[in-house]
Amino acid sequence: MEHHEQPEPLSPVELAAVRRSMTHGRLAMTRRSLLRAGGAMAAAVGGLGALSACGIPPAGRTDAGRSEDHSAAEKRLNFSNWTEYMDVSKDGKHRPTLDRFTRRTGIAVKYTEDINDNDEFFGKIQAQLAAGQDTGRDLIVLTDWMCARMISLGWIQQLDPANLPHAYANLSGQYRDPAWDPGRAHSYVWQGIPAIIAYNKKATGGKKVDSVSQLLEDPQLKGRVGFLSEMRDSIGLTLLDMGKRPEDVTADDYDAAIARLQKGVDSKQIRRFTGNDYTNDLDKGDLAACVAWAGDVVQLQNDNPDIAYAIPKSGYMVSTDNLMVPNKARHKQNAERLIDYFYEPKAAARLAAYINYACPVDGVREELAKIDKSAADNPLILPDKEMAARSHSFRALSAKENTAFTQKFSELSGA
């Protein structure tokens, strides 16, 4: 059965946002190594131009996603992920957690770091998915808002709970029932990505910074405040500070948040909107305080005792990168077995110890403590129940809303 819902092509401002994200956004530095990512980013930007030039047509929705599963006969799977998002041995030649999976199951994993941006990757595979063809990938990792888009298009297979006993039992409660994939029928979380407030104690004179109101109004911080160039994080935290829920944001709510941030820009309270390049400025104290990604904060604190963070009383934003099986994948059951493996505490602990993002797996603390006690005690990596209860996510936007919201945010941030 085929439907005729058409995702709109990227507008010029959205295309520009993709390019900014690849050079300055979350994907550019947080996955452990800017150096290894550099070549891939350059290729991806070039690929975007090629896609735009050749005019790949908008893709229609298709529900003809299932195909014959060859997992029993073909002990392999193809796994596409972001750069530096997997544990690697000290010599850089092995991925220990994946190697253990292969030794246990006999399933060989072809692991490819070919995801550099959600929109760019969508453009890479959309023609095949729209045509009901195999993308050559059995497992992919994309961010929640893009997952919502692909699920709504009918391009992602439903997962078989019978193959996911550890995932079903151990998925943290805060991630269990997203509005865009109720009950996690099509996806499981790879990692959580909290957006919080970070500050340099030396630069603030020892003052704690713990709210968006303080970022926007404290005269001692004027000209030394940063917000993220990722719209959902900066707007989301501002909405929370205004008593609004990002899960229910309306156009009027969004405009009010934009106006509030615009005052901070006009008064020069906000120094700039940044991608991961805020880390150097925060480390040096050129930025006294900023909206930051938790994974960056964990890594900065390893080297600089002046770096501190706060979880606003109004709450914080969290997005997720998620594991999904695309339509026509040849090795669905093998992919499900790998998803389930990463929800075993030992495997989840090894991954969390290496990449320092928010682990979505309950019951991992004891195993993580054996590897790195400081990581096991860090609520940015293992949120406690109180912290998890204060997390919020930006609701899924329609294509029309996304274009309008992105345009307004780009005008605000000077992008």
Side-chain angles (χ1 to χ4, degrees), residues 130-247:
Q133 299 172 353
D134 179 13
T135 66
R137 299 166 176 87
D138 302 299
L139 193 61
I140 60 177
V141 177
L142 292 172
T143 307
D144 43 24
W145 57 269
M146 180 55 78
C147 296
R149 184 180 188 186
M150 294 187 70
I151 291 170
S152 72
L153 289 166
W155 290 355
I156 301 299
Q157 295 195 50
Q158 285 199 15
L159 301 173
D160 185 348
N163 296 327
L164 298 160
H166 297 96
Y168 181 80
N170 295 334
L171 177 63
S172 175
Q174 75 180 111
Y175 303 120
R176 279 192 174 270
D177 198 31
W180 50 269
D181 188 21
R184 289 286 174 185
H186 303 83
S187 68
Y188 268 89
V189 179
W190 177 246
Q191 296 292 295
I193 310 161
I196 57 175
I197 292 175
Y199 59 99
N200 185 311
K201 291 182 286 187
K202 184 180 290 186
T204 65
K207 177 188 288 189
K208 183 177 182 179
V209 181
D210 61 2
S211 71
V212 169
S213 292
Q214 194 174 356
L215 289 176
L216 293 175
E217 298 167 11
D218 188 337
Q220 293 184 26
L221 302 178
K222 185 172 183 178
R224 298 185 297 152
V225 170
F227 277 77
L228 289 171
S229 57
E230 293 287 344
M231 176 266 286
R232 289 165 177 81
D233 291 328
S234 288
I235 295 292
L237 281 169
T238 304
L239 286 167
L240 289 169
D241 194 70
M242 297 165 64
K244 303 289 186 179
R245 283 173 46 85
E247 294 89 342

Side-chain angles (χ1 to χ4, degrees), residues 72-378:
E74 299 176 1
K75 293 293 186 179
R76 61 180 183 269
L77 70 93
N78 297 322
F79 182 6
S80 284
N81 204 348
W82 300 69
T83 302
E84 298 296 336
Y85 221 8
M86 182 68 71
D87 59 315
V88 179
S89 61
K90 290 182 180 179
D91 61 10
K93 296 181 180 179
H94 301 281
R95 296 186 173 89
T97 305
L98 287 178
D99 291 346
R100 289 183 177 93
F101 172 79
T102 297
R103 287 197 297 270
R104 180 201 294 183
T105 64
I107 298 170
V109 181
K110 181 181 179 182
Y111 184 77
T112 307
E113 295 178 333
D114 62 343
I115 303 177
N116 302 291
D117 178 87
N118 287 283
D119 281 314
E120 182 267 337
F121 189 74
F122 179 86
K124 184 185 297 185
I125 63 176
Q126 72 170 43
Q128 291 166 297
L129 288 168
Q133 299 172 353
D134 179 13
T135 66
R137 299 166 176 87
D138 302 299
L139 193 61
I140 60 177
V141 177
L142 292 172
T143 307
D144 43 24
W145 57 269
M146 180 55 78
C147 296
R149 184 180 188 186
M150 294 187 70
I151 291 170
S152 72
L153 289 166
W155 290 355
I156 301 299
Q157 295 195 50
Q158 285 199 15
L159 301 173
D160 185 348
N163 296 327
L164 298 160
H166 297 96
Y168 181 80
N170 295 334
L171 177 63
S172 175
Q174 75 180 111
Y175 303 120
R176 279 192 174 270
D177 198 31
W180 50 269
D181 188 21
R184 289 286 174 185
H186 303 83
S187 68
Y188 268 89
V189 179
W190 177 246
Q191 296 292 295
I193 310 161
I196 57 175
I197 292 175
Y199 59 99
N200 185 311
K201 291 182 286 187
K202 184 180 290 186
T204 65
K207 177 188 288 189
K208 183 177 182 179
V209 181
D210 61 2
S211 71
V212 169
S213 292
Q214 194 174 356
L215 289 176
L216 293 175
E217 298 167 11
D218 188 337
Q220 293 184 26
L221 302 178
K222 185 172 183 178
R224 298 185 297 152
V225 170
F227 277 77
L228 289 171
S229 57
E230 293 287 344
M231 176 266 286
R232 289 165 177 81
D233 291 328
S234 288
I235 295 292
L237 281 169
T238 304
L239 286 167
L240 289 169
D241 194 70
M242 297 165 64
K244 303 289 186 179
R245 283 173 46 85
E247 294 89 342
D248 306 316
V249 60
T250 66
D252 287 343
D253 293 337
Y254 187 87
D255 288 346
I258 287 283
R260 190 173 183 210
L261 288 169
Q262 187 66 58
K263 288 182 180 179
V265 171
D266 294 342
S267 68
K268 301 190 185 306
Q269 179 79 7
I270 298 174
R271 179 169 180 162
R272 63 192 181 101
F273 288 80
T274 74
N276 280 97
D277 48 332
Y278 72 82
T279 55
N280 289 330
D281 287 345
L282 182 63
D283 188 43
K284 293 186 295 184
D286 292 340
L287 282 178
C290 61
V291 177
W293 288 301
D296 292 336
V297 175
V298 172
Q299 293 175 31
L300 284 171
Q301 287 182 319
N302 290 333
D303 300 314
N304 187 343
D306 289 322
I307 301 300
Y309 72 90
I311 307 299
K313 291 181 180 179
S314 58
Y316 67 100
M317 296 300 295
V318 64
S319 56
T320 54
D321 285 338
N322 307 275
L323 296 151
M324 302 188 300
V325 178
N327 283 358
K328 300 298 181 180
R330 286 181 61 88
H331 310 108
K332 179 175 181 283
Q333 186 173 0
N334 290 346
E336 290 168 335
R337 291 183 68 181
L338 184 58
I339 293 172
D340 196 61
Y341 167 74
F342 277 109
Y343 274 81
E344 295 180 21
K346 286 186 178 181
R350 286 190 290 265
L351 188 64
Y354 186 83
I355 62 178
N356 295 155
Y357 280 89
C359 179
V361 181
D362 280 344
V364 77
R365 188 177 305 277
E366 182 178 346
E367 293 295 335
L368 184 55
K370 295 176 184 177
I371 303 170
D372 185 342
K373 188 176 186 305
S374 64
D377 293 337
N378 192 328

